[in-house]
Amino acid sequence: MRLYYSATSPYVRKVMVVLHETDQLKDVQLIPASGTPLKGAEQLLPKNPLGKVPALERPDGPTLYDSRVICRFLNARAGGNLYPTAHEWETLTLEATGDGILDAALLMTYETRLRPEDKRFDDWVEGQWAKIERSLAALSSRWMSHLNGPLDIGQIAVACALDYVDFRHGARGWSSRHPELAAWRDDFVQRPSMQHTGPVE
């Protein structure tokens, strides 16, 4: 299999963590690719019309894209237990929360990196940050028992999201307002799968 990836993509990181946790890294060739909302990754367009990473090219089927699809495929391929049936809907909701944090954080990043300064919309940025803050509050108040339970895709998604928020928007200091969640993140990122997949500029 061939995984099209970018070292700074938090969605790629989710996939890489799953590859490590399910012992499938040896089965995948990593192909660098990158794009932006203004211009998709050219080499990806025949495989993923969205032009986005991650995308997983398989020898026996169409290329898979979207990190949630790829992670679920890899878990099934390995016979893993990252999607426990006993807590299926909770796990998927937690994954969606992590991915939603990433969506908002990326939109904030693109606003300052891609949009000309005189066209930037501060209220837009703050609206995205408000989504993140509400999500962090929900994680802290409702999800800590799940986060402290057996490893699943929800935990991986949230950990990748929190690390990305620190990577790009650390100056906003979310961890001081959510100390229990921050302590969980600090512990989770010690996993070898997280240590080997951190974002690189």
Side-chain angles (χ1 to χ4, degrees):
M1 298 182 293
R2 292 154 60 95
L3 178 68
Y4 294 86
Y5 84 106
S6 166
T8 58
S9 166
Y11 300 105
V12 168
R13 189 181 191 187
K14 276 179 59 187
V15 172
M16 294 298 295
V17 169
V18 169
L19 285 169
H20 279 274
E21 294 287 353
T22 59
D23 194 27
Q24 296 183 86
L25 193 61
K26 61 186 181 301
D27 300 333
V28 174
Q29 179 185 3
L30 300 178
I31 309 294
S34 63
T36 72
L38 302 179
K39 185 176 177 60
E42 292 287 345
Q43 73 266 47
L44 269 182
L45 295 179
K47 308 170 196 312
N48 175 4
L50 301 175
K52 296 165 62 175
V53 294
L56 183 67
E57 187 177 13
R58 302 176 295 160
D60 56 352
T63 298
L64 302 178
Y65 47 90
D66 188 277
S67 64
R68 280 187 252 191
V69 175
I70 296 171
C71 288
R72 193 141 195 178
F73 167 78
L74 291 172
N75 181 74
R77 182 177 184 268
N81 55 5
L82 296 177
Y83 297 83
T85 55
H87 305 287
E88 179 179 9
W89 303 113
E90 290 83 358
T91 298
L92 293 176
T93 299
L94 192 57
E95 181 185 19
T97 303
D99 283 0
I101 291 171
L102 286 181
D103 292 343
L106 274 168
L107 287 173
M108 291 173 64
T109 300
Y110 289 144
E111 185 73 11
T112 55
R113 289 194 161 205
L114 299 181
R115 194 181 296 276
E117 188 170 358
D118 63 333
K119 293 182 171 60
R120 291 176 189 167
F121 187 12
D122 290 341
D123 288 348
W124 166 265
V125 172
E126 294 311 313
Q128 301 309 313
W129 183 253
K131 295 177 188 178
I132 294 172
E133 277 288 2
R134 289 194 300 269
S135 298
L136 297 177
L139 291 170
S140 295
S141 64
R142 301 179 213 161
W143 290 97
M144 290 311 303
S145 61
H146 189 120
L147 290 173
N148 286 311
L151 178 68
D152 65 21
I153 194 64
Q155 296 170 3
I156 292 170
V158 168
C160 290
L162 297 180
D163 235 23
Y164 182 79
V165 170
D166 267 352
F167 179 55
R168 293 296 192 203
H169 309 291
R172 289 183 177 255
W174 71 269
S175 57
S176 64
R177 294 184 295 279
H178 306 280
E180 187 179 4
L181 182 61
W184 173 83
R185 187 281 313 271
D186 290 345
D187 182 63
F188 194 90
V189 297
Q190 300 308 311
R191 297 182 72 88
S193 61
M194 295 293 289
Q195 291 288 306
H196 291 305
T197 58
V200 178
E201 285 283 16

